[in-house]
Amino acid sequence: MALELHGIGASRGISIGKSYLLVQDKPKVSKYTLAPPLLDQEVQRYQTALAAAKNQLHSILEKIPESISTDITAFIHMRLLMLEDKAFTTAPIQIIQTEHCNAEWALKLQGDILTNAFNEMEDAYLRDRKSDINHIINRILHILINPDNYGYDYLTRQLKDCIVLANDLTLSEVILMQQQEIAGFVTEHGGHNSHLSILARSLGIPAIVGLQGAQDYIQDNELIIIDGEQGILLAGAQDLLIQKSQERKIACQKRLIALNKLRNQRAITLEGTTINLQANIELPEELPLVTQAGAEGIGLYRTEFLYINRTSLPDEEEQLEAYTRVIHALNGSPVTIRTIDLGADKTVDEHAISAPISTSSLGLRAIRLCLREPSIFRPQLRAILRASAYGPVQLLLPMVCTLQEVKQTIALLRECKQELKRQGLKYDPNLPIGAMIEIPSAAICADIFAEHLDFLSIGTNDLIQYTLAIDRIDNEVNYLYTPLHPAVLQLIYRTISAGKKRNINVSMCGEMAGDMHYTRLLLALGLRTFSMHPSSLLEVKQIIAKSNQQELSKVTQQILNCHEYSEIQMLLEHLNKDLIAQSLIS
C-alpha cells in the first residue's frame, strides 16, 4: 500500500526518482580557553575560514546559469555582503581577544547575539534574513571544524535524477543541486511564496515545501513520486501507480511543448477580448526569457538591483545605459520602470548612502526614502526621462500611500524636465506616471489616485499580506495567506473599477497575476493587463484563449457577494471546471 504525504505545492511538475535524505546537522561547538600568545594565531584561523566561506559563495555564483532570475544572484550577493559586515569581520575577533576563547565559540556567541536580535524583529523579510545568518554561521563553523573538507558534503554523491528531502534548503544549495540535475526536492519548512519556492519555479524543478515529518517516513534511496503542483509525495507505490505517474509526467512535458506554439499569438478570449500579457524583470540579463515567452512588454522593471551589492550608487549615465538596453531589446513594446524600492530586505552598502534606510517593510523605504533623499531620487528620474526618448516608457512609483507623495514626485519630475530642456537633452514630455497599489489604504483611495495618475498597477504580494496581517513566510500562519479572501478581492475590484471610471489602465504585477488558477477570476473582476514572471506567461495565455469574457463578467457580482473563502473557492472551481476536466489545472 502506497504512503501518501501532503505538503505545499511549490513548483509544478511530476518527478519519479530515488530519495536522498540530506542530513543537516548543526556543528557541535565546545569552548576552550587559549593562552594570550595563541590569540593572534586563533584570529588568523578565523580570518582564513571567513575568506574560505566567501570563496565558496563566489564559486556558487560562477555556477549559476544565465537564465536564472537575477534576484537569485542578488540573494547570494547579499550573503557576501553579510560576510563583509562588522558582525562577521570584527565582532568574533573581539570576542576571541576579550574572552580568550577559540574561534568556534566566539562565532557561536556572536551568532546567539544576532539570532536574538532578529527574533525580536516583526518584519517578515528580516526574519528570512535570520535564516541567512544561520546558514552563514554554520558554513564558517564547518570550515573551522574541518578545514580540509568544507565543501557541500552531499556533492560527493551523484544526485542526478534523485529527489532530495531536507529540513530546509538554501538558495545556494538548490543551485548546486540543479547543476547535478536533481529530479526534485521536498522540504519540511517553507511556503508557496518563499524565496525557495520562487527559485524552484524559476529553475523548473518540481518541488514540495512545508511537508513536515517527511524524513521520518521516507528512507534513503527509496523510490518516491512527487507532484509539485498538488504538493503530494507518494512512497511504496506499486507498478501500476508508477506507470500512471510516468504517463502524467510525459503528458506534462508534451503540454509544455504545446504551450511554446502560443508564443507568437496574442492573448484573446473566445469572444474576441484582447488581454495584454507582460513580463516582470529585474535586470537586462533576463530579456531572453521575456522574448521566449512572447511578452508584449515589461509590466514591471525592478530597478533596485542596480543599487545593491556595491559601495557606490549608480550614476545617471549608468542607469540610462541599463534602461535603454531594455528599451531597445523590446523593439517598440512598452517598458514600465519602477523607481527604487530600497529598504526592508533590499539594502545597500552603508558607505553608498547616508540615509537611514529602514530594515522594516513598514519604515523608511521605497517612495518615502526617495522623496526624503532627492540626491538619490533625482538622478534616477533624470535617467528614466532620458530613456523615454528611445521608446515607450512608463514610470511606476512603489509603496505609494498618500496623494502628497504623488504630487511631490510630479513636482520633482517637472524640475528634472526643465533641467533636461535647458541642457538640450531629449525626453518624452508626456511620460506616463503610475503608482503601485500594494497598501490597503491606497486601494481604498484608488479613485483619488486615478484622478492624478496615468495608470495603476496592483502588487498583490504585499497587498494580501498587509490586508490580512499575515506573514507569508511564517509556517505557523502562512495557511491564512490567500488571494481569495473577500477583503482582498474587494480591494482588487475597487482598484480596477477606479481605473475604468477614469479611463486609465490597471495592471497586476504580483504572483497572483501569474497563477493560472486565478486567471478567470481576475478576468471576471475586469483585469485586462497581467504582468508576471516570463515562465508563467504561456500557461496564462492558454487559459485566456479558452475563456469567454462576456460569460465571466456575469459572475462578477456573485464573486463580490461572497462572505467566506470557502464560497469563493467553490465558485472558482465552477469557473475552472472545464479546465480541470482537460487537466490544464488541478
Side-chain angles (χ1 to χ4, degrees), residues 17-21 157-158 162-163 165 218-224:
K18 294 295 185 68
S19 63
Y20 172 64
L21 271 59
R157 170 173 165 177
Q158 180 54 252
C162 285
I163 299 174
L165 276 69
I218 305 301
Q219 297 179 2
D220 193 41
N221 206 36
E222 179 180 0
L223 184 66
I224 60 174

Side-chain angles (χ1 to χ4, degrees), residues 16 27 50 93 166 193 250 308 327 341 372 441 449 467 470 510 545:
I16 305 171
L50 186 65
I93 293 175
N193 292 307
I250 294 172
I308 64 176
I327 293 167
D341 183 9
R372 178 165 168 173
S441 61
F449 286 111
T467 301
I470 298 299

Side-chain angles (χ1 to χ4, degrees), residues 20 22 63 65 151-164 172-184 203 205:
Y20 172 64
L22 178 60
K63 293 182 171 69
Y152 286 85
D153 298 335
Y154 54 78
L155 292 183
T156 60
R157 170 173 165 177
Q158 180 54 252
L159 296 182
K160 179 177 171 59
D161 297 328
C162 285
I163 299 174
V164 176
S172 306
E173 287 172 330
V174 173
I175 291 169
L176 286 174
M177 291 175 181
Q178 191 257 357
Q179 300 295 314
Q180 289 218 62
E181 301 180 39
I182 63 169
L203 291 169
I205 301 175

Side-chain angles (χ1 to χ4, degrees), residues 227 419 476:
D227 184 331
E419 292 173 0
E476 299 300 325

